[in-house]
């Protein structure tokens, strides 16, 4: 395919924590011309190491600009990948602008309400424009649902889905990620436990969990789209639980202390604390490792007996932050090959198989295994 025939893919937040990784992956994909967009293209050289800037386009775009849709149209992109979080509390203006500009849309949103309500809020416009709009093309729910979809046929009755993500201590953190994490610290949210909705508190009450190839950690509840979407996707499941497990117990307990203070009503300045927490976390990197992981455990019945399956992922050499980008990269490559994306608005579930993710795991020496 010639340069003129290349599929033009615009990455919003293309110099950011996840956007830069997507730009790097797509820049070397045949048939794709990448447009890296953000508020300050001057940052591109520093934030896109390893990318030949001569092979991509740099573009200044501000999603808050009054003429954002016109700016989008000027890029002539066929597909937009939106990585500029945090998505908690964000509206659907960017997705709507992309669809109205005649572009397909994918985002890496992990905000529970944002992703869960996305299909209903965008379906009419996506159908009207005959475009695809996909939300949650990230670890949750794209990868998590692919794992559950792959393992669920082993069960006659699936009773519980328990998911834990365990980042390496030295994992680089974008500010959007830190703000997203802190947005529900100490905040109550509904979780489907033992067949009914129960209230839990974000980052409170850390509990020990074990993994296949990394050391035990303390895991705390986090508010994510899977709490809503997997309950809907698997009728009859009694428990769906997601937690995150920081590598150092001190940091887990620090978040739990912040959660307790917010729960009793202390008005902590969370935006200001995001910067403090991100910087303070770096002080402890010497006490951590470069290993991150993820464990999804399914429990239920098979042939009348209790049955448990663990899926474990281990990411070495600080490769964990690549994982949230895989779904968007896979979908963009599919689109560029001419295979198309489903018309309408969708949460990113059932669109990618676990086998497709495993092909990306291999590129980054990421190990996954079922036990």
């Amino acid at each position: 395919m010639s340069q003129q025939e290349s599929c033009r893919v615009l990455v919003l937040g293309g110099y950011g924590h996840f956007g830069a990784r997507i730009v790097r992956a797509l820049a070397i994909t045949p048939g794709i011309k990448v447009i890296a967009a953000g508020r300050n293209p001057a940052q591109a050289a520093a934030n896109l190491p390893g990318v030949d800037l001569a092979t991509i386009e740099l573009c200044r775009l501000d999603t808050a600009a009054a003429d954002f849709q016109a700016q989008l149209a000027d890029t002539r992109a066929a597909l937009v990948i939106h990585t500029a979080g945090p998505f908690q509390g964000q509206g659907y203006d960017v997705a709507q602008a992309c669809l109205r500009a005649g572009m397909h849309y994918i985002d890496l949103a992990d905000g529970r309400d944002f992703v869960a309500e996305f299909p209903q809020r965008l379906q009419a416009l996506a159908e009207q424009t005959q475009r695809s709009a996909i939300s949650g093309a990230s670890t949750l729910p794209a990868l998590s649902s692919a794992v559950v979809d792959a393992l669920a046929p082993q069960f006659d009755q699936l009773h519980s889905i328990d998911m834990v993500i365990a980042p390496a201590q030295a994992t680089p953190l974008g500010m959007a990620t830190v703000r997203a994490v802190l947005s529900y610290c100490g905040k109550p949210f509904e979780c489907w436990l033992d067949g009914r909705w129960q209230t839990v508190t974000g980052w409170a009450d850390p509990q020990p969990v074990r993994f296949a190839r990394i050391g035990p950690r303390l895991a705390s509840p986090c508010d994510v789209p899977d709490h809503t979407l997997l309950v809907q996707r698997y009728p009859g499941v009694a428990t769906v639980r997601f937690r995150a497990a920081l590598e150092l117990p001190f940091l887990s307990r620090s978040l739990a202390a912040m959660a307790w203070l917010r729960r009793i009503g202390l008005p902590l300045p969370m935006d200001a604390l995001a910067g403090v927490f991100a910087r303070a976390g770096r002080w402890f990197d010497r006490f951590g490792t470069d290993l991150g992981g993820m464990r999804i455990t399914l429990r239920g019945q098979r042939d009348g007996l209790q049955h448990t399956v663990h899926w474990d992922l281990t990411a070495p050499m600080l490769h964990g932050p690549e994982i949230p980008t895989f779904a968007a990269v896979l979908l963009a490559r599919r689109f560029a090959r001419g295979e198309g994306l489903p018309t309408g608005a969708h949460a990113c579930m059932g669109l990618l198989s676990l086998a497709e993710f495993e092909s990306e795991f291999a590129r980054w020496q990421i190990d996954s295994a079922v036990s």
Side-chain angles (χ1 to χ4, degrees):
M1 181 179 286
S2 70
Q3 185 86 331
Q4 287 73 27
E5 296 170 316
S6 294
C7 172
R8 293 175 65 80
V9 177
L10 186 148
V11 183
L12 272 174
Y15 330 130
H17 184 59
F18 294 123
R21 289 175 163 82
I22 293 173
V23 168
R24 184 185 60 211
L26 296 183
I28 59 172
T29 300
I32 291 181
K33 180 66 175 182
V34 181
I35 308 161
R39 292 192 181 98
N40 188 2
Q43 296 177 346
N47 291 4
L48 293 170
V51 175
D52 181 357
L53 297 184
T55 66
I56 67 173
E57 292 182 22
L58 301 177
C59 174
R60 187 186 186 281
L61 275 181
D62 184 350
T63 59
D67 62 343
F68 173 62
Q69 185 176 319
Q71 292 181 28
L72 266 181
D74 288 344
T75 68
R76 298 179 291 110
L79 169 66
V80 175
I81 301 175
H82 181 14
T83 73
F87 289 88
Q88 287 81 355
Q90 198 173 130
Y92 299 105
D93 298 357
V94 174
Q96 291 165 345
C98 292
L99 295 174
R100 290 182 179 128
M103 300 166 181
H104 299 274
Y105 168 92
I106 296 170
D107 68 42
L108 273 63
D110 59 356
R112 179 176 179 174
D113 293 339
F114 185 98
V115 179
E117 296 174 12
F118 185 90
Q120 178 184 351
R121 298 286 294 273
L122 275 297
Q123 180 65 21
L125 181 58
E127 286 183 345
Q128 177 187 333
T129 56
Q130 285 297 288
R131 292 295 183 267
S132 179
I134 298 169
S135 186
S138 190
T139 309
L140 309 168
L143 172 58
S144 54
S145 63
V147 172
V148 178
D149 287 351
L151 299 182
Q154 296 191 27
F155 294 83
D156 299 324
Q157 289 181 299
L158 181 59
H159 294 157
S160 72
I161 303 169
D162 196 339
M163 301 161 284
V164 185
I165 284 180
Q169 166 59 30
T171 297
L173 290 175
M175 281 306 299
T177 302
V178 178
R179 289 192 180 102
V181 163
L182 293 183
S183 68
Y184 47 79
C185 179
K187 294 291 187 180
F189 63 90
E190 295 297 298
C191 190
W192 186 248
L193 301 170
D194 300 323
R196 62 189 178 92
W197 290 107
Q198 300 186 42
T199 301
V200 299
T201 302
W203 289 103
D205 192 27
Q207 298 292 320
V209 293
R210 293 190 175 276
F211 300 87
R213 291 179 54 193
I214 62 177
R217 299 191 182 184
L218 295 175
S220 303
C222 296
D223 195 14
V224 297
D226 299 54
H227 286 305
T228 298
L229 296 174
L230 287 181
V231 174
Q232 296 171 350
R233 190 167 180 83
Y234 287 95
V237 71
T239 293
V240 172
R241 183 168 59 165
F242 174 83
R243 294 170 293 167
L246 303 183
E247 184 168 4
L248 302 182
F250 171 76
L251 294 179
S252 294
R253 294 192 174 102
S254 296
L255 274 174
M258 289 170 61
W260 180 78
L261 291 172
R262 288 191 90 190
R263 187 166 50 183
I264 64 172
L266 192 68
L268 297 178
M270 301 309 284
D271 279 347
L273 285 172
V276 174
F277 195 83
R279 290 190 297 273
R282 299 283 70 91
W283 299 340
F284 296 94
D285 287 354
R286 72 189 75 176
F287 303 111
T289 69
D290 67 354
L291 282 179
M294 182 174 179
R295 166 168 273 204
I296 297 180
T297 300
L298 306 187
R299 294 183 175 87
Q301 284 196 318
R302 179 178 179 178
D303 299 328
L305 300 174
Q306 294 298 315
H307 187 52
T308 300
V309 176
H310 301 288
W311 177 86
D312 277 283
L313 175 148
T314 308
M317 297 179 287
L318 300 180
H319 288 169
E322 303 296 334
I323 297 168
T325 71
F326 289 164
V329 169
L330 288 166
L331 290 170
R333 288 176 179 157
R334 179 187 294 177
F335 179 72
R337 291 194 300 266
E339 297 175 20
L341 300 174
T343 299
H346 313 270
C348 195
M349 305 176 76
L351 301 181
L352 293 163
S353 69
L354 180 56
E356 289 174 284
F357 281 102
E358 287 170 342
S359 69
E360 292 301 300
F361 295 164
R363 296 175 196 265
W364 291 95
Q365 300 171 278
I366 294 170
D367 173 72
S368 65
V370 176
S371 61

